[in-house]
Amino acid sequence: MRALLLLPLFAGLVCTAIWVAVGLTGDDEFAWLNGWVCGPFLVLAGLPFAFTRGLGGIFGGLPKEFHGAPIGMGTVTGVARTGLVVNDQPQLEIQLRVDTPEGRSFASSARQIVDLTDLAAVQPGATLPVRYLPDGRVVLATDAPQHELQAALNRVQLAKGWMTPNQLRIAEQGVEGSALVLSMTPTGQTGDGRSEVRLGLRVTRADGTSFDVAQDKKLPPVAVGQVQPGMVVRVRYLPHDESEVAVVTSLVP
């Protein structure tokens, strides 16, 4: 009986490994599983480690008080093992700085069982979706569908000033394309640790033609290495207004 109960878990972990491997190529509908994207910069939310959905079902899911709680974005500030191990997978105490769609920020922590192969998803600097309560308690939002995570991440960045209303419109209504990074010039750093850079991009349209655009961006540290000159990045843009694009990057280190 115990073996039968664990079969869905093992199957889920195998599927997750396949999805992540495919996601790393960036050429598939499951590419968002490789991490989140962000942007003043864009925000297409995807759970950095989808396996937690399956674990949540086997180990009890979200506590009842978190059902329907609002979603915020938690930046990992520290990680420690609690000593609990379930099926050889450690439980982690994940320290977080949580930002809410209302513009509030607070420190909190969440406990989660994490597969050893997915530890990179919870390293300091990574961004994880959480459900939070008025008293500051949080849990990882392993139950939320992608569109709900997308909307929450967009609103958090808008509230923090990392995204303008026009950039939000690009994120929600823009078409997808690719862009070659022509140049990346650091211009400063924000008070919250983001890097200010000026990007030169050559964007390829769906019909194969291209246009150049230069933009100032405020990037989280994990995104800087993904926009180096010569790299090709995913973007969104409005066909009737190509003066600004949203760049897609992973929020997982």
Side-chain angles (χ1 to χ4, degrees):
M1 178 61 72
R2 177 179 174 82
L4 290 175
L5 289 174
L6 290 177
L7 280 176
L9 171 61
F10 295 144
L13 291 175
V14 171
C15 289
T16 296
I18 295 173
W19 288 342
V20 170
V22 173
L24 286 171
T25 68
D27 298 327
D28 186 273
E29 63 178 315
F30 296 113
W32 59 270
L33 286 172
N34 187 37
W36 298 44
V37 294
C38 84
F41 272 28
L42 164 65
V43 186
L44 300 174
L47 203 56
F49 43 97
F51 73 92
T52 55
R53 298 178 190 271
L55 290 175
I58 291 178
F59 297 112
L62 298 186
K64 289 184 178 179
E65 61 266 34
F66 286 95
H67 289 180
I71 294 176
M73 298 301 120
T75 300
V76 179
T77 59
V79 181
R81 296 197 180 199
T82 65
L84 175 65
V85 177
V86 178
N87 295 325
D88 297 324
Q89 312 305 329
Q91 183 188 62
L92 302 181
E93 179 84 20
I94 306 170
Q95 303 295 324
L96 300 161
R97 187 190 72 247
V98 179
D99 295 306
T100 74
E102 297 77 30
R104 186 165 63 97
S105 297
F106 60 92
S108 190
S109 64
R111 292 192 173 192
Q112 180 70 40
I113 294 171
V114 177
D115 187 274
L116 292 173
T117 61
D118 292 289
L119 292 179
V122 291
Q123 294 303 303
T127 299
L128 305 176
V130 299
R131 290 195 182 275
Y132 62 93
L133 298 178
D135 61 9
R137 286 181 295 152
V138 304
V139 295
L140 298 189
T142 57
D143 65 316
Q146 184 180 359
H147 69 84
E148 189 176 353
L149 296 174
Q150 166 78 59
L153 184 52
N154 283 350
R155 267 55 190 183
V156 166
Q157 294 208 65
L158 185 64
K160 297 288 290 184
W162 298 336
M163 173 182 280
T164 66
N166 186 57
Q167 290 162 349
L168 176 61
R169 189 160 61 94
I170 296 173
E172 295 180 340
Q173 303 175 19
V175 298
E176 289 202 26
S178 63
L180 172 67
V181 180
L182 301 176
S183 62
M184 194 278 287
T185 305
T187 59
Q189 192 167 31
T190 65
D192 57 8
R194 292 201 163 206
S195 297
E196 297 179 337
V197 303
R198 185 163 184 79
L199 288 179
L201 302 169
R202 178 160 295 159
V203 181
T204 300
R205 304 183 184 93
D207 63 3
T209 60
S210 62
F211 65 93
D212 291 355
V213 63
Q215 296 179 205
D216 293 323
K217 300 291 188 183
K218 297 178 182 178
L219 312 183
V222 296
V224 174
Q226 302 171 45
V227 292
Q228 297 298 307
M231 291 184 170
V232 176
V233 295
R234 293 165 55 202
V235 298
R236 281 187 182 270
Y237 65 95
L238 298 173
H240 61 277
D241 181 4
E242 297 176 342
S243 62
E244 186 169 18
V245 301
V247 182
V248 180
T249 63
S250 171
L251 291 187
V252 176

